[in-house]
PDB file of all heavy atoms in Angstrom:
ATOM      1  N   SER A  30      48.382  13.094 -76.918  1.00 95.00           N
ATOM      2  CA  SER A  30      47.118  13.834 -76.890  1.00 95.00           C
ATOM      3  C   SER A  30      46.978  14.739 -78.106  1.00 95.00           C
ATOM      4  O   SER A  30      45.908  14.828 -78.716  1.00 95.00           O
ATOM      5  CB  SER A  30      47.036  14.646 -75.599  1.00 95.00           C
ATOM      6  OG  SER A  30      45.933  15.501 -75.624  1.00 95.00           O
ATOM      7  N   TYR A  31      48.049  15.405 -78.471  1.00 93.00           N
ATOM      8  CA  TYR A  31      48.056  16.303 -79.631  1.00 93.00           C
ATOM      9  C   TYR A  31      47.724  15.535 -80.911  1.00 93.00           C
ATOM     10  O   TYR A  31      46.879  15.962 -81.703  1.00 93.00           O
ATOM     11  CB  TYR A  31      49.429  16.969 -79.717  1.00 93.00           C
ATOM     12  CG  TYR A  31      49.675  17.755 -80.963  1.00 93.00           C
ATOM     13  CD1 TYR A  31      49.111  19.012 -81.128  1.00 93.00           C
ATOM     14  CD2 TYR A  31      50.494  17.260 -81.975  1.00 93.00           C
ATOM     15  CE1 TYR A  31      49.352  19.745 -82.279  1.00 93.00           C
ATOM     16  CE2 TYR A  31      50.731  17.982 -83.110  1.00 93.00           C
ATOM     17  CZ  TYR A  31      50.164  19.224 -83.265  1.00 93.00           C
ATOM     18  OH  TYR A  31      50.398  19.948 -84.407  1.00 93.00           O
ATOM     19  N   ILE A  32      48.369  14.404 -81.103  1.00 94.00           N
ATOM     20  CA  ILE A  32      48.122  13.594 -82.306  1.00 94.00           C
ATOM     21  C   ILE A  32      46.687  13.073 -82.322  1.00 94.00           C
ATOM     22  O   ILE A  32      46.011  13.102 -83.364  1.00 94.00           O
ATOM     23  CB  ILE A  32      49.140  12.445 -82.391  1.00 94.00           C
ATOM     24  CG1 ILE A  32      50.530  13.014 -82.688  1.00 94.00           C
ATOM     25  CG2 ILE A  32      48.737  11.423 -83.440  1.00 94.00           C
ATOM     26  CD1 ILE A  32      51.657  12.029 -82.529  1.00 94.00           C
ATOM     27  N   LEU A  33      46.191  12.616 -81.179  1.00 93.00           N
ATOM     28  CA  LEU A  33      44.808  12.125 -81.108  1.00 93.00           C
ATOM     29  C   LEU A  33      43.811  13.245 -81.416  1.00 93.00           C
ATOM     30  O   LEU A  33      42.817  13.023 -82.119  1.00 93.00           O
ATOM     31  CB  LEU A  33      44.518  11.520 -79.739  1.00 93.00           C
ATOM     32  CG  LEU A  33      45.223  10.210 -79.410  1.00 93.00           C
ATOM     33  CD1 LEU A  33      44.940   9.802 -77.969  1.00 93.00           C
ATOM     34  CD2 LEU A  33      44.810   9.124 -80.372  1.00 93.00           C
ATOM     35  N   ASN A  34      44.069  14.434 -80.899  1.00 89.00           N
ATOM     36  CA  ASN A  34      43.172  15.565 -81.172  1.00 89.00           C
ATOM     37  C   ASN A  34      43.132  15.905 -82.654  1.00 89.00           C
ATOM     38  O   ASN A  34      42.059  16.170 -83.209  1.00 89.00           O
ATOM     39  CB  ASN A  34      43.601  16.804 -80.383  1.00 89.00           C
ATOM     40  CG  ASN A  34      43.226  16.721 -78.937  1.00 89.00           C
ATOM     41  OD1 ASN A  34      42.260  16.067 -78.571  1.00 89.00           O
ATOM     42  ND2 ASN A  34      43.996  17.366 -78.093  1.00 89.00           N
ATOM     43  N   LEU A  35      44.290  15.908 -83.297  1.00 86.00           N
ATOM     44  CA  LEU A  35      44.314  16.204 -84.733  1.00 86.00           C
ATOM     45  C   LEU A  35      43.616  15.108 -85.536  1.00 86.00           C
ATOM     46  O   LEU A  35      42.907  15.398 -86.506  1.00 86.00           O
ATOM     47  CB  LEU A  35      45.746  16.398 -85.214  1.00 86.00           C
ATOM     48  CG  LEU A  35      46.433  17.675 -84.752  1.00 86.00           C
ATOM     49  CD1 LEU A  35      47.848  17.755 -85.321  1.00 86.00           C
ATOM     50  CD2 LEU A  35      45.644  18.908 -85.129  1.00 86.00           C
ATOM     51  N   LYS A  36      43.801  13.839 -85.118  1.00 88.00           N
ATOM     52  CA  LYS A  36      43.099  12.742 -85.794  1.00 88.00           C
ATOM     53  C   LYS A  36      41.585  12.911 -85.685  1.00 88.00           C
ATOM     54  O   LYS A  36      40.860  12.739 -86.669  1.00 88.00           O
ATOM     55  CB  LYS A  36      43.502  11.395 -85.180  1.00 88.00           C
ATOM     56  CG  LYS A  36      44.736  10.790 -85.732  1.00 88.00           C
ATOM     57  CD  LYS A  36      45.107   9.484 -85.046  1.00 88.00           C
ATOM     58  CE  LYS A  36      43.971   8.496 -85.004  1.00 88.00           C
ATOM     59  NZ  LYS A  36      44.332   7.232 -84.325  1.00 88.00           N
ATOM     60  N   VAL A  37      41.120  13.240 -84.490  1.00 86.00           N
ATOM     61  CA  VAL A  37      39.680  13.414 -84.282  1.00 86.00           C
ATOM     62  C   VAL A  37      39.174  14.595 -85.088  1.00 86.00           C
ATOM     63  O   VAL A  37      38.120  14.521 -85.728  1.00 86.00           O
ATOM     64  CB  VAL A  37      39.356  13.581 -82.780  1.00 86.00           C
ATOM     65  CG1 VAL A  37      37.918  14.008 -82.577  1.00 86.00           C
ATOM     66  CG2 VAL A  37      39.622  12.290 -82.034  1.00 86.00           C
ATOM     67  N   LEU A  38      39.912  15.694 -85.083  1.00 80.00           N
ATOM     68  CA  LEU A  38      39.505  16.872 -85.839  1.00 80.00           C
ATOM     69  C   LEU A  38      39.369  16.560 -87.326  1.00 80.00           C
ATOM     70  O   LEU A  38      38.364  16.892 -87.953  1.00 80.00           O
ATOM     71  CB  LEU A  38      40.496  18.016 -85.614  1.00 80.00           C
ATOM     72  CG  LEU A  38      40.173  19.349 -86.269  1.00 80.00           C
ATOM     73  CD1 LEU A  38      38.899  19.938 -85.670  1.00 80.00           C
ATOM     74  CD2 LEU A  38      41.329  20.316 -86.107  1.00 80.00           C
ATOM     75  N   ILE A  39      40.339  15.857 -87.874  1.00 80.00           N
ATOM     76  CA  ILE A  39      40.291  15.502 -89.294  1.00 80.00           C
ATOM     77  C   ILE A  39      39.167  14.517 -89.565  1.00 80.00           C
ATOM     78  O   ILE A  39      38.448  14.627 -90.564  1.00 80.00           O
ATOM     79  CB  ILE A  39      41.660  14.959 -89.751  1.00 80.00           C
ATOM     80  CG1 ILE A  39      42.670  16.103 -89.753  1.00 80.00           C
ATOM     81  CG2 ILE A  39      41.566  14.312 -91.124  1.00 80.00           C
ATOM     82  CD1 ILE A  39      44.098  15.675 -89.951  1.00 80.00           C
ATOM     83  N   ARG A  40      38.956  13.553 -88.663  1.00 82.00           N
ATOM     84  CA  ARG A  40      37.882  12.569 -88.838  1.00 82.00           C
ATOM     85  C   ARG A  40      36.508  13.245 -88.819  1.00 82.00           C
ATOM     86  O   ARG A  40      35.629  12.903 -89.601  1.00 82.00           O
ATOM     87  CB  ARG A  40      37.981  11.511 -87.742  1.00 82.00           C
ATOM     88  CG  ARG A  40      37.315  10.215 -88.112  1.00 82.00           C
ATOM     89  CD  ARG A  40      37.536   9.149 -87.064  1.00 82.00           C
ATOM     90  NE  ARG A  40      38.925   8.724 -87.026  1.00 82.00           N
ATOM     91  CZ  ARG A  40      39.584   8.442 -85.905  1.00 82.00           C
ATOM     92  NH1 ARG A  40      38.992   8.502 -84.743  1.00 82.00           N
ATOM     93  NH2 ARG A  40      40.837   8.051 -85.942  1.00 82.00           N
ATOM     94  N   VAL A  41      36.342  14.206 -87.925  1.00 77.00           N
ATOM     95  CA  VAL A  41      35.063  14.912 -87.825  1.00 77.00           C
ATOM     96  C   VAL A  41      34.836  15.777 -89.056  1.00 77.00           C
ATOM     97  O   VAL A  41      33.716  15.882 -89.566  1.00 77.00           O
ATOM     98  CB  VAL A  41      35.012  15.758 -86.526  1.00 77.00           C
ATOM     99  CG1 VAL A  41      33.872  16.750 -86.550  1.00 77.00           C
ATOM    100  CG2 VAL A  41      34.892  14.846 -85.324  1.00 77.00           C
ATOM    101  N   ILE A  42      35.900  16.378 -89.558  1.00 74.00           N
ATOM    102  CA  ILE A  42      35.772  17.222 -90.747  1.00 74.00           C
ATOM    103  C   ILE A  42      35.415  16.367 -91.964  1.00 74.00           C
ATOM    104  O   ILE A  42      34.594  16.762 -92.787  1.00 74.00           O
ATOM    105  CB  ILE A  42      37.075  18.006 -90.988  1.00 74.00           C
ATOM    106  CG1 ILE A  42      37.365  18.942 -89.821  1.00 74.00           C
ATOM    107  CG2 ILE A  42      37.023  18.778 -92.290  1.00 74.00           C
ATOM    108  CD1 ILE A  42      36.237  19.817 -89.390  1.00 74.00           C
ATOM    109  N   ARG A  43      36.010  15.187 -92.076  1.00 77.00           N
ATOM    110  CA  ARG A  43      35.712  14.301 -93.207  1.00 77.00           C
ATOM    111  C   ARG A  43      34.290  13.757 -93.168  1.00 77.00           C
ATOM    112  O   ARG A  43      33.645  13.611 -94.196  1.00 77.00           O
ATOM    113  CB  ARG A  43      36.680  13.131 -93.233  1.00 77.00           C
ATOM    114  CG  ARG A  43      38.025  13.448 -93.738  1.00 77.00           C
ATOM    115  CD  ARG A  43      38.841  12.189 -93.843  1.00 77.00           C
ATOM    116  NE  ARG A  43      40.198  12.491 -94.241  1.00 77.00           N
ATOM    117  CZ  ARG A  43      41.187  11.641 -94.122  1.00 77.00           C
ATOM    118  NH1 ARG A  43      40.979  10.440 -93.623  1.00 77.00           N
ATOM    119  NH2 ARG A  43      42.383  11.971 -94.502  1.00 77.00           N
ATOM    120  N   SER A  44      33.828  13.406 -91.966  1.00 76.00           N
ATOM    121  CA  SER A  44      32.509  12.796 -91.816  1.00 76.00           C
ATOM    122  C   SER A  44      31.724  13.500 -90.712  1.00 76.00           C
ATOM    123  O   SER A  44      31.622  12.982 -89.600  1.00 76.00           O
ATOM    124  CB  SER A  44      32.649  11.320 -91.461  1.00 76.00           C
ATOM    125  OG  SER A  44      33.486  10.654 -92.331  1.00 76.00           O
ATOM    126  N   PRO A  45      31.147  14.651 -91.000  1.00 72.00           N
ATOM    127  CA  PRO A  45      30.421  15.372 -89.957  1.00 72.00           C
ATOM    128  C   PRO A  45      29.155  14.659 -89.485  1.00 72.00           C
ATOM    129  O   PRO A  45      28.627  14.977 -88.428  1.00 72.00           O
ATOM    130  CB  PRO A  45      30.086  16.716 -90.599  1.00 72.00           C
ATOM    131  CG  PRO A  45      30.285  16.541 -92.043  1.00 72.00           C
ATOM    132  CD  PRO A  45      31.202  15.392 -92.241  1.00 72.00           C
ATOM    133  N   GLU A  46      28.721  13.657 -90.219  1.00 74.00           N
ATOM    134  CA  GLU A  46      27.501  12.949 -89.824  1.00 74.00           C
ATOM    135  C   GLU A  46      27.706  12.044 -88.608  1.00 74.00           C
ATOM    136  O   GLU A  46      26.730  11.557 -88.037  1.00 74.00           O
ATOM    137  CB  GLU A  46      26.951  12.129 -90.989  1.00 74.00           C
ATOM    138  CG  GLU A  46      27.832  11.006 -91.461  1.00 74.00           C
ATOM    139  CD  GLU A  46      28.886  11.435 -92.476  1.00 74.00           C
ATOM    140  OE1 GLU A  46      28.926  12.611 -92.858  1.00 74.00           O
ATOM    141  OE2 GLU A  46      29.673  10.559 -92.879  1.00 74.00           O
ATOM    142  N   ILE A  47      28.956  11.823 -88.179  1.00 75.00           N
ATOM    143  CA  ILE A  47      29.179  10.996 -86.998  1.00 75.00           C
ATOM    144  C   ILE A  47      28.879  11.756 -85.705  1.00 75.00           C
ATOM    145  O   ILE A  47      28.912  11.173 -84.629  1.00 75.00           O
ATOM    146  CB  ILE A  47      30.619  10.435 -86.945  1.00 75.00           C
ATOM    147  CG1 ILE A  47      31.650  11.552 -86.787  1.00 75.00           C
ATOM    148  CG2 ILE A  47      30.907   9.567 -88.134  1.00 75.00           C
ATOM    149  CD1 ILE A  47      33.058  11.052 -86.541  1.00 75.00           C
ATOM    150  N   ILE A  48      28.558  13.035 -85.832  1.00 73.00           N
ATOM    151  CA  ILE A  48      28.285  13.874 -84.665  1.00 73.00           C
ATOM    152  C   ILE A  48      26.816  14.243 -84.631  1.00 73.00           C
ATOM    153  O   ILE A  48      26.217  14.556 -85.649  1.00 73.00           O
ATOM    154  CB  ILE A  48      29.088  15.171 -84.736  1.00 73.00           C
ATOM    155  CG1 ILE A  48      30.564  14.880 -84.845  1.00 73.00           C
ATOM    156  CG2 ILE A  48      28.811  16.055 -83.543  1.00 73.00           C
ATOM    157  CD1 ILE A  48      31.346  16.070 -85.227  1.00 73.00           C
ATOM    158  N   GLU A  49      26.271  14.226 -83.436  1.00 70.00           N
ATOM    159  CA  GLU A  49      24.922  14.732 -83.220  1.00 70.00           C
ATOM    160  C   GLU A  49      24.953  15.559 -81.943  1.00 70.00           C
ATOM    161  O   GLU A  49      25.421  15.105 -80.913  1.00 70.00           O
ATOM    162  CB  GLU A  49      23.928  13.588 -83.075  1.00 70.00           C
ATOM    163  CG  GLU A  49      22.498  14.050 -82.993  1.00 70.00           C
ATOM    164  CD  GLU A  49      21.549  12.884 -82.926  1.00 70.00           C
ATOM    165  OE1 GLU A  49      21.824  11.853 -83.567  1.00 70.00           O
ATOM    166  OE2 GLU A  49      20.537  13.006 -82.218  1.00 70.00           O
ATOM    167  N   VAL A  50      24.487  16.779 -82.037  1.00 67.00           N
ATOM    168  CA  VAL A  50      24.474  17.682 -80.892  1.00 67.00           C
ATOM    169  C   VAL A  50      23.033  17.975 -80.528  1.00 67.00           C
ATOM    170  O   VAL A  50      22.225  18.294 -81.393  1.00 67.00           O
ATOM    171  CB  VAL A  50      25.221  18.998 -81.219  1.00 67.00           C
ATOM    172  CG1 VAL A  50      25.192  19.935 -80.040  1.00 67.00           C
ATOM    173  CG2 VAL A  50      26.649  18.706 -81.629  1.00 67.00           C
ATOM    174  N   GLU A  51      22.699  17.833 -79.255  1.00 65.00           N
ATOM    175  CA  GLU A  51      21.345  18.121 -78.784  1.00 65.00           C
ATOM    176  C   GLU A  51      21.392  19.091 -77.613  1.00 65.00           C
ATOM    177  O   GLU A  51      22.323  19.062 -76.815  1.00 65.00           O
ATOM    178  CB  GLU A  51      20.662  16.839 -78.306  1.00 65.00           C
ATOM    179  CG  GLU A  51      20.239  15.911 -79.405  1.00 65.00           C
ATOM    180  CD  GLU A  51      19.410  14.765 -78.873  1.00 65.00           C
ATOM    181  OE1 GLU A  51      18.666  14.955 -77.906  1.00 65.00           O
ATOM    182  OE2 GLU A  51      19.526  13.666 -79.434  1.00 65.00           O
ATOM    183  N   ILE A  52      20.367  19.908 -77.522  1.00 63.00           N
ATOM    184  CA  ILE A  52      20.173  20.765 -76.368  1.00 63.00           C
ATOM    185  C   ILE A  52      19.305  19.992 -75.385  1.00 63.00           C
ATOM    186  O   ILE A  52      18.556  19.108 -75.764  1.00 63.00           O
ATOM    187  CB  ILE A  52      19.499  22.093 -76.774  1.00 63.00           C
ATOM    188  CG1 ILE A  52      20.364  22.811 -77.798  1.00 63.00           C
ATOM    189  CG2 ILE A  52      19.263  22.975 -75.573  1.00 63.00           C
ATOM    190  CD1 ILE A  52      19.757  24.090 -78.306  1.00 63.00           C
ATOM    191  N   GLU A  53      19.424  20.319 -74.100  1.00 63.00           N
ATOM    192  CA  GLU A  53      18.730  19.563 -73.061  1.00 63.00           C
ATOM    193  C   GLU A  53      17.224  19.465 -73.304  1.00 63.00           C
ATOM    194  O   GLU A  53      16.615  18.448 -73.026  1.00 63.00           O
ATOM    195  CB  GLU A  53      18.991  20.210 -71.702  1.00 63.00           C
ATOM    196  CG  GLU A  53      18.435  19.406 -70.554  1.00 63.00           C
ATOM    197  CD  GLU A  53      18.748  20.066 -69.234  1.00 63.00           C
ATOM    198  OE1 GLU A  53      18.169  21.129 -68.970  1.00 63.00           O
ATOM    199  OE2 GLU A  53      19.563  19.522 -68.489  1.00 63.00           O
ATOM    200  N   ASN A  54      16.592  20.504 -73.849  1.00 63.00           N
ATOM    201  CA  ASN A  54      15.148  20.471 -74.049  1.00 63.00           C
ATOM    202  C   ASN A  54      14.727  19.625 -75.252  1.00 63.00           C
ATOM    203  O   ASN A  54      13.550  19.516 -75.534  1.00 63.00           O
ATOM    204  CB  ASN A  54      14.582  21.882 -74.161  1.00 63.00           C
ATOM    205  CG  ASN A  54      15.116  22.634 -75.363  1.00 63.00           C
ATOM    206  OD1 ASN A  54      15.786  22.055 -76.213  1.00 63.00           O
ATOM    207  ND2 ASN A  54      14.848  23.919 -75.416  1.00 63.00           N
ATOM    208  N   GLY A  55      15.689  19.037 -75.984  1.00 56.00           N
ATOM    209  CA  GLY A  55      15.363  18.112 -77.052  1.00 56.00           C
ATOM    210  C   GLY A  55      15.438  18.685 -78.449  1.00 56.00           C
ATOM    211  O   GLY A  55      15.414  17.944 -79.408  1.00 56.00           O
ATOM    212  N   SER A  56      15.505  19.987 -78.612  1.00 58.00           N
ATOM    213  CA  SER A  56      15.601  20.547 -79.954  1.00 58.00           C
ATOM    214  C   SER A  56      17.011  20.313 -80.497  1.00 58.00           C
ATOM    215  O   SER A  56      17.987  20.371 -79.770  1.00 58.00           O
ATOM    216  CB  SER A  56      15.277  22.038 -79.948  1.00 58.00           C
ATOM    217  OG  SER A  56      16.235  22.733 -79.194  1.00 58.00           O
ATOM    218  N   LYS A  57      17.089  20.035 -81.777  1.00 56.00           N
ATOM    219  CA  LYS A  57      18.371  19.729 -82.396  1.00 56.00           C
ATOM    220  C   LYS A  57      18.981  20.998 -82.972  1.00 56.00           C
ATOM    221  O   LYS A  57      18.293  21.885 -83.432  1.00 56.00           O
ATOM    222  CB  LYS A  57      18.177  18.719 -83.525  1.00 56.00           C
ATOM    223  CG  LYS A  57      17.575  17.438 -83.067  1.00 56.00           C
ATOM    224  CD  LYS A  57      18.450  16.323 -83.404  1.00 56.00           C
ATOM    225  CE  LYS A  57      17.699  15.076 -82.973  1.00 56.00           C
ATOM    226  NZ  LYS A  57      18.465  13.972 -82.790  1.00 56.00           N
ATOM    227  N   ILE A  58      20.302  21.050 -82.930  1.00 53.00           N
ATOM    228  CA  ILE A  58      21.038  22.135 -83.567  1.00 53.00           C
ATOM    229  C   ILE A  58      21.490  21.590 -84.911  1.00 53.00           C
ATOM    230  O   ILE A  58      22.135  20.559 -84.971  1.00 53.00           O
ATOM    231  CB  ILE A  58      22.248  22.553 -82.715  1.00 53.00           C
ATOM    232  CG1 ILE A  58      21.799  23.007 -81.338  1.00 53.00           C
ATOM    233  CG2 ILE A  58      23.031  23.643 -83.401  1.00 53.00           C
ATOM    234  CD1 ILE A  58      22.938  23.282 -80.397  1.00 53.00           C
ATOM    235  N   LYS A  59      21.200  22.290 -85.979  1.00 50.00           N
ATOM    236  CA  LYS A  59      21.537  21.766 -87.298  1.00 50.00           C
ATOM    237  C   LYS A  59      22.884  22.300 -87.790  1.00 50.00           C
ATOM    238  O   LYS A  59      23.807  21.550 -87.961  1.00 50.00           O
ATOM    239  CB  LYS A  59      20.443  22.137 -88.287  1.00 50.00           C
ATOM    240  CG  LYS A  59      19.100  21.617 -87.901  1.00 50.00           C
ATOM    241  CD  LYS A  59      18.754  20.416 -88.668  1.00 50.00           C
ATOM    242  CE  LYS A  59      17.343  20.074 -88.294  1.00 50.00           C
ATOM    243  NZ  LYS A  59      16.997  18.754 -88.374  1.00 50.00           N
ATOM    244  N   PHE A  60      22.987  23.595 -88.003  1.00 45.00           N
ATOM    245  CA  PHE A  60      24.176  24.160 -88.629  1.00 45.00           C
ATOM    246  C   PHE A  60      25.400  24.082 -87.725  1.00 45.00           C
ATOM    247  O   PHE A  60      26.498  23.867 -88.185  1.00 45.00           O
ATOM    248  CB  PHE A  60      23.919  25.615 -89.034  1.00 45.00           C
ATOM    249  CG  PHE A  60      25.156  26.364 -89.405  1.00 45.00           C
ATOM    250  CD1 PHE A  60      25.858  26.022 -90.540  1.00 45.00           C
ATOM    251  CD2 PHE A  60      25.634  27.381 -88.608  1.00 45.00           C
ATOM    252  CE1 PHE A  60      27.015  26.698 -90.880  1.00 45.00           C
ATOM    253  CE2 PHE A  60      26.782  28.052 -88.945  1.00 45.00           C
ATOM    254  CZ  PHE A  60      27.464  27.709 -90.079  1.00 45.00           C
ATOM    255  N   THR A  61      25.206  24.220 -86.435  1.00 52.00           N
ATOM    256  CA  THR A  61      26.354  24.358 -85.543  1.00 52.00           C
ATOM    257  C   THR A  61      26.891  23.024 -85.032  1.00 52.00           C
ATOM    258  O   THR A  61      27.784  23.038 -84.203  1.00 52.00           O
ATOM    259  CB  THR A  61      25.985  25.249 -84.350  1.00 52.00           C
ATOM    260  OG1 THR A  61      24.862  24.682 -83.688  1.00 52.00           O
ATOM    261  CG2 THR A  61      25.696  26.650 -84.781  1.00 52.00           C
ATOM    262  N   ASP A  62      26.385  21.890 -85.521  1.00 58.00           N
ATOM    263  CA  ASP A  62      26.912  20.606 -85.071  1.00 58.00           C
ATOM    264  C   ASP A  62      28.431  20.534 -85.236  1.00 58.00           C
ATOM    265  O   ASP A  62      29.151  20.273 -84.288  1.00 58.00           O
ATOM    266  CB  ASP A  62      26.281  19.461 -85.857  1.00 58.00           C
ATOM    267  CG  ASP A  62      24.866  19.159 -85.419  1.00 58.00           C
ATOM    268  OD1 ASP A  62      24.379  19.842 -84.522  1.00 58.00           O
ATOM    269  OD2 ASP A  62      24.271  18.243 -85.984  1.00 58.00           O
ATOM    270  N   VAL A  63      28.892  20.752 -86.444  1.00 64.00           N
ATOM    271  CA  VAL A  63      30.318  20.647 -86.723  1.00 64.00           C
ATOM    272  C   VAL A  63      31.084  21.763 -86.041  1.00 64.00           C
ATOM    273  O   VAL A  63      32.160  21.545 -85.497  1.00 64.00           O
ATOM    274  CB  VAL A  63      30.569  20.659 -88.247  1.00 64.00           C
ATOM    275  CG1 VAL A  63      32.037  20.696 -88.557  1.00 64.00           C
ATOM    276  CG2 VAL A  63      29.930  19.444 -88.871  1.00 64.00           C
ATOM    277  N   SER A  64      30.541  22.959 -86.030  1.00 69.00           N
ATOM    278  CA  SER A  64      31.279  24.075 -85.457  1.00 69.00           C
ATOM    279  C   SER A  64      31.459  23.927 -83.953  1.00 69.00           C
ATOM    280  O   SER A  64      32.518  24.252 -83.427  1.00 69.00           O
ATOM    281  CB  SER A  64      30.600  25.400 -85.796  1.00 69.00           C
ATOM    282  OG  SER A  64      29.302  25.442 -85.261  1.00 69.00           O
ATOM    283  N   ILE A  65      30.465  23.421 -83.249  1.00 72.00           N
ATOM    284  CA  ILE A  65      30.602  23.233 -81.795  1.00 72.00           C
ATOM    285  C   ILE A  65      31.688  22.209 -81.499  1.00 72.00           C
ATOM    286  O   ILE A  65      32.565  22.433 -80.663  1.00 72.00           O
ATOM    287  CB  ILE A  65      29.260  22.810 -81.168  1.00 72.00           C
ATOM    288  CG1 ILE A  65      28.295  23.983 -81.140  1.00 72.00           C
ATOM    289  CG2 ILE A  65      29.460  22.265 -79.761  1.00 72.00           C
ATOM    290  CD1 ILE A  65      26.903  23.619 -80.701  1.00 72.00           C
ATOM    291  N   VAL A  66      31.668  21.089 -82.180  1.00 73.00           N
ATOM    292  CA  VAL A  66      32.672  20.062 -81.947  1.00 73.00           C
ATOM    293  C   VAL A  66      34.052  20.550 -82.389  1.00 73.00           C
ATOM    294  O   VAL A  66      35.050  20.310 -81.706  1.00 73.00           O
ATOM    295  CB  VAL A  66      32.288  18.750 -82.656  1.00 73.00           C
ATOM    296  CG1 VAL A  66      33.391  17.727 -82.560  1.00 73.00           C
ATOM    297  CG2 VAL A  66      31.013  18.203 -82.056  1.00 73.00           C
ATOM    298  N   ALA A  67      34.129  21.275 -83.497  1.00 74.00           N
ATOM    299  CA  ALA A  67      35.413  21.796 -83.955  1.00 74.00           C
ATOM    300  C   ALA A  67      35.985  22.798 -82.958  1.00 74.00           C
ATOM    301  O   ALA A  67      37.189  22.802 -82.703  1.00 74.00           O
ATOM    302  CB  ALA A  67      35.253  22.436 -85.328  1.00 74.00           C
ATOM    303  N   ILE A  68      35.148  23.624 -82.361  1.00 78.00           N
ATOM    304  CA  ILE A  68      35.629  24.572 -81.356  1.00 78.00           C
ATOM    305  C   ILE A  68      36.140  23.830 -80.129  1.00 78.00           C
ATOM    306  O   ILE A  68      37.195  24.166 -79.578  1.00 78.00           O
ATOM    307  CB  ILE A  68      34.516  25.575 -80.989  1.00 78.00           C
ATOM    308  CG1 ILE A  68      34.289  26.542 -82.146  1.00 78.00           C
ATOM    309  CG2 ILE A  68      34.858  26.344 -79.719  1.00 78.00           C
ATOM    310  CD1 ILE A  68      33.070  27.418 -82.005  1.00 78.00           C
ATOM    311  N   ILE A  69      35.420  22.809 -79.694  1.00 82.00           N
ATOM    312  CA  ILE A  69      35.876  22.012 -78.547  1.00 82.00           C
ATOM    313  C   ILE A  69      37.214  21.344 -78.861  1.00 82.00           C
ATOM    314  O   ILE A  69      38.133  21.332 -78.035  1.00 82.00           O
ATOM    315  CB  ILE A  69      34.811  20.972 -78.153  1.00 82.00           C
ATOM    316  CG1 ILE A  69      33.587  21.684 -77.571  1.00 82.00           C
ATOM    317  CG2 ILE A  69      35.360  19.950 -77.169  1.00 82.00           C
ATOM    318  CD1 ILE A  69      32.383  20.799 -77.375  1.00 82.00           C
ATOM    319  N   LEU A  70      37.349  20.814 -80.065  1.00 83.00           N
ATOM    320  CA  LEU A  70      38.610  20.183 -80.449  1.00 83.00           C
ATOM    321  C   LEU A  70      39.740  21.195 -80.551  1.00 83.00           C
ATOM    322  O   LEU A  70      40.875  20.911 -80.163  1.00 83.00           O
ATOM    323  CB  LEU A  70      38.447  19.431 -81.770  1.00 83.00           C
ATOM    324  CG  LEU A  70      37.621  18.163 -81.689  1.00 83.00           C
ATOM    325  CD1 LEU A  70      37.309  17.630 -83.070  1.00 83.00           C
ATOM    326  CD2 LEU A  70      38.335  17.124 -80.854  1.00 83.00           C
ATOM    327  N   LEU A  71      39.450  22.388 -81.062  1.00 85.00           N
ATOM    328  CA  LEU A  71      40.474  23.431 -81.116  1.00 85.00           C
ATOM    329  C   LEU A  71      40.934  23.815 -79.714  1.00 85.00           C
ATOM    330  O   LEU A  71      42.125  24.029 -79.479  1.00 85.00           O
ATOM    331  CB  LEU A  71      39.945  24.669 -81.846  1.00 85.00           C
ATOM    332  CG  LEU A  71      39.914  24.599 -83.357  1.00 85.00           C
ATOM    333  CD1 LEU A  71      39.269  25.848 -83.939  1.00 85.00           C
ATOM    334  CD2 LEU A  71      41.305  24.423 -83.910  1.00 85.00           C
TER     335      LEU A  71
END
């Protein structure tokens, strides 16, 4: 699990465009896409 988490973290950092974060009402979050996923991975 630890190795997989680090792989995902590095993959997301290299290519942040593979992530899309949406709020339930449909508005998109722009700046915090990478930060939200990075916090979850941390």
Side-chain angles (χ1 to χ4, degrees):
S30 172
Y31 171 77
I32 291 169
L33 291 175
N34 284 332
L35 289 181
K36 275 178 52 181
V37 170
L38 183 65
I39 291 170
R40 203 175 291 141
V41 166
I42 298 310
R43 283 186 184 164
S44 309
E46 65 275 358
I47 65 172
I48 303 167
E49 186 177 325
V50 179
E51 286 188 33
I52 301 177
E53 186 179 70
N54 63 9
S56 64
K57 301 237 184 200
I58 301 173
K59 301 259 186 208
F60 167 67
T61 57
D62 284 1
V63 174
S64 61
I65 288 173
V66 173
I68 288 170
I69 291 170
L70 289 170
L71 282 176

